Amino acid sequence: MDVSFVKTPEIQQLLDRAAGVNESGGSPRLKAIMRDLTESVMELIVRHDISESEFWLAMKYLSDSAGEIGLIVPGIGLEHFLDLYMDAKDAEAGLTGGTPRTIEGPLYVAGAPLVEGNVNLSVDEDEGTTVLHMTGHVTGPDGEAVQQAIVHVWHANSKGWYSHFDPTGEQTPFNNRRRIKLGKDGRYAFHSKQPSGYSVPPGGSTDQLMQALGRHGNRPAHVHFFIEAPGYRTLTTQINFGDDPFAEDDFAFGTREGLLPVPSRQGDSAYIQFNFQMQRAADDSDERFSSRARAEAEPQPETETA
Ligand code: MBD
Ligand code: FE
C-alpha cells in the first residue's frame, strides 16, 4: 500500500483527535509535535509494511531499553545530530569559532570536588595504567585569558568504567571527576590514570541494537569537559585519543576534527597539551547548562589535589 493512506480523511481526523488539536486545553506546541510524531510513525508502518507482531516487538524493545536511552541516543547518531543542528544554527547567526562542541554523553555527575592548581583526578587504585598529564589554557575569542573559568572534567578508568555508574561498585563516588577552578592566567593542568575506551554493557539494549545493525558499541578513550565562565558560552566538549584503535570509528559519533589529539607517550606517562577557546555569551541562557537531567551525588569533603 502507498504511504498516502495516512493522508486519507479518516486517518487525518484520527491524528487531530489523538493530538488534542481541537481541544482548548494543553500545549499548542506539544500538540503540533505529537501530531507530526504520530503521523511519522504511521507512515513508517505503511512504508515498511510493519506487521502487528513487529510493531509490538519494537514497543517491547522501547520499554525494556528505558534505562539505556542515554546510550541509544548517541549510538543512533541523534546526540551528534543535535550538535550538527546547533552548529548549523550558529553558522546561520554568524556565530563561529572556538573549540567545537561535542556530545555530553550520559555519564556526567554533578557535585564533583571543586579544586585548584595542578589537580589529581584519580583517587582510586587502578593498576597497570599509564598516567595522563593534560595541560593548556582557556581563552576567549580575542585570545584573552578567560577569567573565573571552571573546568568540569570526567573520564573512565582503565576498565572503561565511570565512577557512580561502575557495575563493579569498586570506585569511590568522584573518582576521575573534578571541577577545576582556574586562576587569572586561564591555565589548567591535571593528571590522572589514563582512561580506556568505553564499551556499552554486553547483552544490554544498546548492544542488542548495535549487533542487529551489524555495528559495535565501542568508543575510543576520551576525556569529557564542560567549561563555564561568566560572560562566556558554556562549552560541552571532549577530547578523544587520536592513537586509539576506535579513534575513527566511535559508535557514539563524538569524535570530531580538532578534538583528536595524539598523546605524546614517554615511558609510563602520556602527555596531552590542549587549548580551549570559548565563545562570548550573547545572553544569560548561553552561560547556563542545558536543562538535561543529570546524575547528582553529594559533594565530597576536599580530597588531595596534587
Ligand atoms: C560514554 O562514555 C560517552 O561519552 C558517550 C557519549 C556515550 C556512552 C558512553
Ligand atoms: Fe564518555
Side-chain angles (χ1 to χ4, degrees):
M1 195 170 301
D2 193 80
V3 176
S4 62
F5 170 70
V6 174
K7 298 295 183 194
T8 59
E10 187 179 8
I11 306 296
Q12 291 298 307
Q13 280 160 26
L14 172 62
L15 280 165
D16 284 343
R17 287 182 62 200
V21 167
N22 297 314
E23 306 296 333
S24 56
S27 152
R29 179 169 163 80
L30 181 66
K31 290 175 197 215
I33 294 169
M34 246 343 260
R35 194 189 186 287
D36 279 356
L37 175 64
T38 311
E39 187 174 42
S40 298
V41 173
M42 290 172 173
E43 287 176 354
L44 272 185
I45 290 170
V46 177
R47 187 175 309 120
H48 300 281
D49 191 23
I50 292 170
S51 71
E52 186 184 350
S53 297
E54 287 174 321
F55 178 83
W56 286 109
L57 183 69
M59 293 305 106
K60 177 164 168 49
Y61 178 81
L62 284 183
S63 74
D64 291 350
S65 66
E68 289 194 19
I69 282 292
L71 289 179
I72 293 169
V73 166
I76 62 178
L78 270 181
E79 196 166 353
H80 181 50
F81 173 80
L82 292 178
D83 284 339
L84 295 175
Y85 182 50
M86 288 188 279
D87 288 354
K89 287 200 294 184
D90 281 356
E92 222 170 51
L95 246 179
T96 53
T99 304
R101 58 162 62 87
T102 195
I103 59 175
E104 170 182 336
L107 303 170
Y108 176 79
V109 179
L114 185 62
V115 293
E116 291 177 58
N118 188 341
V119 177
N120 172 36
L121 309 184
S122 306
V123 189
D124 297 351
E125 282 301 310
D126 194 350
E127 272 171 32
T129 185
T130 302
V131 180
L132 169 67
H133 299 264
M134 211 174 147
T135 54
H137 60 235
V138 180
T139 58
D142 299 317
E144 76 280 13
V146 167
Q147 300 300 302
Q148 300 179 61
I150 296 177
V151 175
H152 302 234
V153 52
W154 70 104
H155 70 63
N157 68 7
S158 71
K159 313 278 183 304
W161 300 120
Y162 284 80
S163 62
H164 191 85
F165 302 98
D166 185 340
T168 69
E170 278 169 13
Q171 295 186 62
T172 55
F174 289 102
N175 191 42
N176 296 324
R177 300 177 184 277
R178 288 295 181 274
R179 286 176 297 155
I180 308 173
K181 199 173 160 183
L182 305 194
K184 286 196 165 63
D185 60 1
R187 297 202 158 267
Y188 77 89
F190 66 82
H191 49 97
S192 63
K193 289 169 182 165
Q194 189 192 287
S196 295
Y198 174 88
S199 301
V200 298
S205 296
T206 313
D207 188 34
Q208 283 173 33
L209 178 61
M210 290 300 125
Q211 290 198 29
L213 297 173
R215 296 180 50 201
H216 63 75
N218 300 299
R219 299 208 62 214
H222 60 278
V223 181
H224 294 267
F225 300 93
F226 284 137
I227 307 183
E228 56 170 326
Y232 295 88
R233 201 177 194 197
T234 295
L235 173 67
T236 302
T237 195
Q238 34 174 299
I239 57 103
N240 283 255
F241 289 28
D243 61 355
D244 189 286
F246 289 103
E248 306 299 327
D249 190 20
D250 174 12
F251 102 97
F253 308 99
T255 58
R256 301 194 80 170
E257 206 182 306
L259 300 175
L260 272 165
V262 176
S264 134
R265 298 187 182 278
Q266 288 160 35
D268 282 346
S269 293
Y271 298 87
I272 295 176
Q273 142 74 34
F274 192 88
N275 296 328
F276 296 92
Q277 191 178 31
M278 302 180 80
Q279 294 181 341
R280 238 180 287 287
D283 52 41
D284 284 0
S285 73
D286 272 353
E287 290 186 33
R288 286 196 288 271
F289 287 37
S290 74
S291 58
R292 176 176 184 160
R294 298 182 175 91
E296 217 169 310
E298 279 305 304
Q300 298 291 296
E302 203 84 337
T303 43
E304 49 163 337
T305 58

